Each structure stands twice: as C-alpha cells, then as structure tokens.
Amino acid sequence: MKIALLTYSSKPRGGVVHTLALAEALARSEQDVAVWSLGRGGDSAFFRPVDPAVDVRMVAFEHRDGESVGERILRSIAVLRHAFTPDEYDIVHAQDCISANAVGRCVRTIHHLDEFTTPELAACHERAITVPYARICVSAAVANDVRRGWGVEPTVIPNGVDAERFAAAARSGRSHWSAQLGRYVVAVGGIEPRKGSLDLLDAFARVRSDAGTGELQLVFAGGETLFDYREYRAEFDRRARELGVEPVILGTVDDDELPHLVAQAAVLPFFSTKEGFGLAAMEALAASTPVVARDLPVLREVFADSVTYASSVESMAIEIERALVEPPDPTPGLLLAHSLTWDEAARRHVDFYSSLR
C-alpha cells in the first residue's frame, strides 16, 4: 500500500513527532510510506533523522517578515497544495488542518480541537473536519467531541510512545542537565495559552515560596509554533517579574537530549487546557518522571491513575510540591508507557486503511 502522511512543519511539535513515528512504524510493517511537510524557515530536513525506509518530501517554505498568521496559514496551504502529488498514493493521510486543507479528499487525524479567532484559521479548522472522507482520533474523548460537534464518527487509534528511548535515558546515569540547572521542573512545549503556561508560572511561584522544596528552577523546552503568541508571552514575562520568578527558556532542545532533560527533571507539569492524548507526559512516565496533569477528561482517559491531577492553581502547586517531597511509585506509568507502541498503532492504521479501499 502506498501511503502519504502529511504534516505542516519540520519542527518538533507533537503532531510532527506523531507523524514521523507512525511513518517509521508503517515502513517497518512493509508499507510504502512517504512523509510530506513544509520545510519551515528554509529547513531541508526534519528536526531529527528519519528512517531511510521513509520517503521524505520536504517542500520549501521561506519565512516572510511582517506576514500575519492568517496570511501564513493561507500561503502554507497553497504551497503544499501546489507541490503535493496525490495520484502517487493509495492513502492520503493528513495530520493537521493545514495539510488537510491542502490536499482536500483525505483521511484526517484530529489530534485535538481548537477554538480560533483568526478567520482563516477558523475556516481551516472547520474544513479539515468536514471535508475528509475518514477521520481518526487519538483518544475517545476527542472522538466524542467531534461526534457531538459535527455528527461524524471518528475511529479511535491511540498514540504510540517510544518508551524505551526515555527509559534508557533514565537508566543512563547521565546528570548533565541537573548539574547545569540544579533541581528543576520542566514543561515541554511553548509558552502559549493552550499549554496553560500562566497557570504553571503561578503554581510554581507558590511551590518555590515553600522552603521545604529547596532551590528549584522552572524550565521550558520547545515552543516552535506557527502562531503569534507575543501578547501572551508579554503577559507571561510581566507576571514572572511580578512574582520574582526567572524561568529558564531553553527553546528547541536537540532530539537526542530531550529524553535526558525529561529524565533528570524532578516533575513534569502538564497543564494544557486542551489535549488529544498527552505524548510529552507519556514520555515523562517512560522516564520515571512524575507527572502532574490538569484534570481534563481526555487525560483521565489516557493516564488513569498513573499521574496526579489538579484543576486550579492552588491544587497544581499542592500536587507539584507533593511530587517533589514524596515522588510517587513510577511503576504504573512505566507499564502504561510500555504498553503503547508505535508498531501496534501502525498495525491498526493499516487495518483502517484497508477497510477504506
């Protein structure tokens, strides 16, 4: 079966991580797989090496100063549409609203639902749900939201996780991140509204004020995005100054280093306001790092009792501090992470694709 997976970026975001891992697992199952993407900022390759068995088709997409988010979205769709060659493939599978709008008729994975105020984004989001002829969600909670909102019936195929990569980092004995940063909590993802960054900042300030936790750093890793969060970032910086918190902003971390950064963290707070699955949190569990998550139905579904939950800034602070003082047993999280493999996700995708032909 010839399969095209399409994603919107060459940078490390959750949907891109998913696309590459799924493509490699599909190739291991002897499928003929290509990944198409926009090479943002002049990228000619993805943020990490990709198995040579996967055909990578990177479409040049240069940065333009002064371009609005809406303009960038429309140009992204147009550039990918012009380059893509759908007749080469038996299955065309879009992983986001930009690629779904670029290719039209396709299978679409709806990782999570957003609410956009930018008109171009709102229209892109709507078309990317209604136009595809088949839909996949990575959790039942998101599938239920899609069903209620649009009257369509997505198929649920959970994410995999490269658990051994993060478990190996935990076993490695390396301590360079903790030597550099001291004791720290790490958030993987940008400083942006969906990630709940302001809530984390306020919760961290409360934890740090308790002498019982000792010296503690707040670290952010990642954050590459298409969107303009400058106003939110300005509010974050203003609030950090007000609270006397100086977070460490690492930006994009090399893919080989990310498991070590996560494994050496004392806690990974996961306070997203919307999620489809929670891959970064699952990777933390694979590294035996405690996770405190926002109390969302989707995260209850995916993580059950392997993480602790909080629904307010006060309870977030309490649960972070509890994890710092008395880390929970990592066994449930390890078992969960190792039970979710990309090979199984690929097998279920192949079955799904076959049912459509």
Side-chain angles (χ1 to χ4, degrees):
M1 194 182 314
K2 293 200 69 173
I3 303 163
L5 302 182
L6 295 102
T7 187
Y8 71 104
S9 180
S10 48
K11 308 295 186 182
R13 295 288 288 187
V16 182
V17 172
H18 170 106
T19 303
L20 296 182
L22 175 59
E24 291 169 329
L26 287 168
R28 287 194 297 273
S29 71
E30 301 185 343
Q31 305 305 313
D32 187 348
V33 186
V35 173
W36 287 73
S37 179
L38 295 172
R40 299 205 173 268
D43 285 353
S44 59
F46 282 105
F47 66 93
R48 69 163 178 84
V50 179
D51 188 329
V54 176
D55 180 17
V56 173
R57 305 282 189 96
M58 195 65 66
V59 180
F61 190 85
E62 76 279 4
H63 173 75
R64 290 183 183 175
D65 291 333
E67 188 174 47
S68 71
V69 172
E71 290 168 338
R72 191 178 307 122
I73 295 300
L74 293 178
R75 184 164 64 92
S76 297
I77 293 167
V79 169
L80 188 55
R81 178 184 292 138
H82 178 75
F84 184 58
T85 53
D87 292 343
E88 289 186 46
Y89 304 102
D90 302 310
I91 295 291
V92 174
H93 186 170
Q95 296 289 330
D96 51 79
C97 76
I98 288 173
S99 59
N101 275 255
V103 301
R105 179 175 167 79
C106 63
V107 177
R108 163 81 200 284
T109 291
I110 304 168
H111 291 273
H112 66 274
L113 294 172
D114 273 312
E115 295 176 5
F116 294 115
T117 56
T118 303
E120 295 88 348
L121 271 172
C124 173
H125 183 267
E126 181 72 16
R127 287 192 301 268
I129 294 173
T130 59
V131 171
Y133 69 94
R135 302 156 192 85
I136 295 170
C137 291
V138 294
S139 60
V142 175
N144 289 338
D145 289 342
V146 172
R147 187 182 304 110
R148 285 194 295 268
W150 287 269
V152 295
E153 190 69 37
T155 293
V156 177
I157 304 178
N159 267 331
V161 59
D162 192 352
E164 182 52 31
R165 193 165 81 97
F166 284 80
R171 295 193 302 266
S172 71
R174 294 178 66 184
S175 58
H176 55 297
W177 285 108
S178 55
Q180 173 185 335
L181 298 169
R183 198 176 192 210
Y184 62 93
V185 301
V186 64
V188 176
I191 295 171
E192 56 188 76
R194 188 174 72 83
K195 296 297 183 181
S197 308
L198 280 169
D199 283 349
L200 171 55
L201 181 64
D202 284 345
F204 178 83
R206 296 188 184 205
V207 172
R208 196 192 56 168
S209 67
D210 187 333
T213 61
E215 291 296 322
L216 193 66
Q217 293 267 33
L218 175 59
V219 177
F220 288 85
E224 176 65 34
T225 181
L226 278 177
F227 307 124
D228 185 355
Y229 294 129
R230 282 177 293 183
E231 290 186 7
Y232 188 85
R233 177 61 185 270
E235 174 61 17
F236 179 93
D237 291 343
R238 184 201 65 76
R239 184 65 175 151
R241 289 191 298 271
E242 183 180 278
L243 294 169
V245 176
E246 296 182 7
V248 178
I249 312 298
L250 296 174
T252 300
V253 174
D254 186 85
D255 189 59
D256 289 337
E257 280 299 323
L258 182 63
H260 297 282
L261 177 69
V262 171
Q264 291 168 45
V267 181
L268 187 135
F270 197 72
F271 296 155
S272 299
T273 59
K274 292 181 181 294
E275 277 294 342
F277 180 84
L279 187 55
M282 195 66 73
E283 291 169 340
L285 295 182
S288 298
T289 299
V291 172
V292 179
R294 190 182 293 271
D295 197 352
L296 301 177
V298 61
L299 299 182
R300 289 274 183 181
E301 172 198 337
V302 173
F303 292 96
D305 60 357
S306 63
V307 306
T308 54
Y309 298 94
S311 55
S312 66
V313 168
E314 181 180 7
S315 60
M316 289 170 183
I318 290 169
E319 294 304 334
I320 291 173
E321 186 168 343
R322 180 174 289 132
L324 289 166
V325 173
E326 189 175 348
D329 179 5
T331 303
L334 284 167
L335 292 173
L336 175 62
H338 280 276
S339 74
L340 295 164
T341 70
W342 285 112
D343 287 337
E344 174 60 14
R347 184 194 67 75
R348 293 181 65 176
H349 276 80
V350 170
D351 288 347
F352 181 70
Y353 298 152
S354 298
S355 75
L356 302 174
R357 300 181 68 194

